[in-house]
Amino acid sequence: MSSALPEIEPVTREPLNAHTPAAALREARTPTSAFYVRNHFAQPALDARAWRLRVPGGELALDALRAMPQRELDVVLECAGNGRLRMSPRPGGTPWGERAVGCARFGGVPLRDLVGELPTGTRELLFAGADHGEVEGRRIAYERSLPLERALHPDTLVALTMNGAPLTPEHGAPARLLVPGWYGMASVKWLVEVRPLERAFEGFYQADHYVYREARGGILEGPVTTMRVKSWLAQPAHARVGQPTSVRGWAWSGAGPVTHVDVSEDGGKSWHRASLQAPTGPYAWTPFAWSWTPRASGTFTLLARAADATGDVQPLDAPWNVLGYGNNEASRIEVQVA
Ligand SMILES: Nc1nc2c(c(=O)[nH]1)N[C@H]1C(S)=C(S)[C@@H](COP(=O)(O)O)O[C@H]1N2
Ligand SMILES: [Mo]
């Protein structure tokens, strides 16, 4: 018997970018070793004992953070570039297929418990990672800001754990920001500084990247923020003619609860309402299931389309924008029916 941990599937090696393997996406919580990794630069190796988090009014050591009241949340993290390969014409950028997504239990300290009194006139908080590199001839770090309201939301965490264990180096050890409901770029890994800003941040990963540009197909232009409603069909891979088969998967949205999921066996001509189970928290994905009885043998592609409480529905075709963000087209699974 093998005790090997499930492994990520590299998309690029330097820097490391890797998909979650399909098998791991059959589980409600994605194992950490299988959870997709998205890095812009080489991973910094931070010494947890020497590490400090600079916050307005001081700095904090890891032990001090661990001693504070902790909050745990199941959170779907999805890269804004997930599904980019299906866009046409194909945008540049990391060639993500469709598995730059996962759901894990994160634990840590609400950011608002860490920042003391902020200077009057503070509009945003800036979050700096320890990783850096050269971009368009300039040396920059991975930095992102959040509007004050989102930064101080009780569920915005400085996360120290993932699936009950200390963060691993790939996922931002010793501490990362976690912004539930937003695409992954907001959740700054290897966090070393939180800084108040009086004006909107205009750094590379804020104003040049992670913006919807020349957007078409239901995406408005502007900054990339919340995850658009989406689903993942996890099973089945095989089915038998005349035998009921459980079609299952997950649906999520950063804008509100998932209200329904429909499944199609005929390429979107007709739809069947799936049953939903309660998610394990407001930011976890929602399990759905539909019983399918195939009437013929062959290869079938099933489609799933989720909707959320804001009335948003997954489009059947990939939306498009220059940098290839936010593709939330209906999900598909190929099933061999014998
Ligand atoms: N410091 C730092 N934080 C970062 C990134 C990065 O390159 N550097 N990538 C971001 C992006 S684009 C995503 S999608 C998530 C991915 O988190 P994961 O690698 O833990 O899955 O981290 C975000 N935080
Ligand atoms: Mo991302």
Side-chain angles (χ1 to χ4, degrees):
M1 213 179 90
S2 157
S3 62
L5 293 171
E7 279 176 29
I8 47 174
E9 296 174 359
V11 172
T12 67
R13 289 188 188 269
E14 284 182 21
L16 176 67
N17 284 293
H19 276 133
T20 306
L25 289 175
R26 288 188 207 115
E27 298 177 46
R29 276 198 209 101
T30 314
T32 303
S33 64
F35 201 100
Y36 86 95
V37 173
R38 171 50 174 135
N39 292 338
H40 293 78
F41 303 120
Q43 273 174 210
L46 300 180
D47 172 0
R49 278 159 305 176
W51 177 87
R52 297 288 181 275
L53 179 61
R54 291 188 293 282
V55 294
E59 53 174 46
L60 289 152
L62 190 54
D63 286 345
L65 284 175
R66 286 187 176 140
M68 297 180 72
Q70 309 285 304
R71 185 167 174 76
E72 281 207 314
L73 292 168
D74 285 350
V75 174
V76 173
L77 209 58
E78 182 186 13
C79 184
N82 193 27
R84 176 179 288 141
L85 275 188
R86 291 190 54 86
M87 288 185 171
S88 175
R90 199 169 124 185
T94 305
W96 290 115
E98 291 156 274
R99 286 181 274 106
V101 63
C103 181
R105 171 158 293 186
F106 291 92
V109 183
L111 177 79
R112 69 169 181 186
D113 296 349
L114 299 181
V115 293
E117 204 164 311
L118 294 166
T120 45
T122 302
R123 276 183 49 194
E124 296 189 341
L125 291 182
L126 179 71
F127 301 91
D131 51 332
H132 46 75
E134 200 162 300
V135 174
E136 293 174 359
R138 286 179 305 142
R139 197 178 152 75
I140 58 169
Y142 189 82
E143 294 181 325
R144 294 264 319 169
S145 76
L146 283 177
L148 208 51
E149 193 196 13
R150 172 51 45 176
L152 301 181
H153 187 283
D155 294 333
T156 299
L157 304 183
V158 173
L160 308 175
T161 66
M162 184 172 178
N163 293 325
L167 283 181
T168 57
E170 312 76 74
H171 296 293
R176 78 179 300 168
L177 189 67
L178 189 76
V179 187
W182 284 44
Y183 281 114
M185 76 279 143
S187 294
V188 176
K189 303 192 278 189
W190 311 292
L191 187 64
V192 288
E193 186 176 10
V194 181
R195 200 162 70 226
L197 297 179
E198 283 182 15
R199 290 153 47 112
F201 180 57
E202 295 202 328
F204 184 80
Y205 295 111
Q206 190 87 20
D208 291 278
H209 273 50
Y210 301 109
V211 286
Y212 294 119
R213 229 177 265 141
E214 294 175 38
R216 297 198 295 269
I219 289 188
L220 301 174
E221 301 208 358
V224 175
T225 58
T226 52
M227 295 183 294
R228 295 168 63 87
V229 63
K230 197 159 171 178
S231 56
W232 174 257
L233 271 162
Q235 60 175 62
H238 303 277
R240 293 203 155 271
V241 177
Q243 275 184 24
T245 303
S246 186
V247 176
R248 289 179 183 278
W250 321 103
W252 64 94
S253 166
V258 170
T259 50
H260 54 271
V261 178
D262 291 326
V263 179
S264 177
E265 56 179 321
D266 57 13
K269 286 200 265 315
S270 62
W271 294 90
H272 308 271
R273 185 82 11 129
S275 60
L276 304 184
Q277 273 172 38
T280 55
Y283 308 104
W285 46 29
T286 297
F288 66 86
W290 175 63
S291 178
W292 178 44
T293 306
R295 313 224 166 272
S297 61
T299 303
F300 288 80
T301 300
L302 302 181
L303 296 176
R305 193 168 68 165
D308 71 19
T310 71
D312 240 353
V313 184
Q314 288 184 262
L316 288 186
D317 297 312
W320 193 88
N321 54 90
V322 172
L323 296 171
Y325 298 128
N327 181 4
N328 69 330
E329 68 177 292
S331 53
R332 279 153 286 98
I333 192 169
E334 218 176 71
V335 190
Q336 307 299 331
V337 180

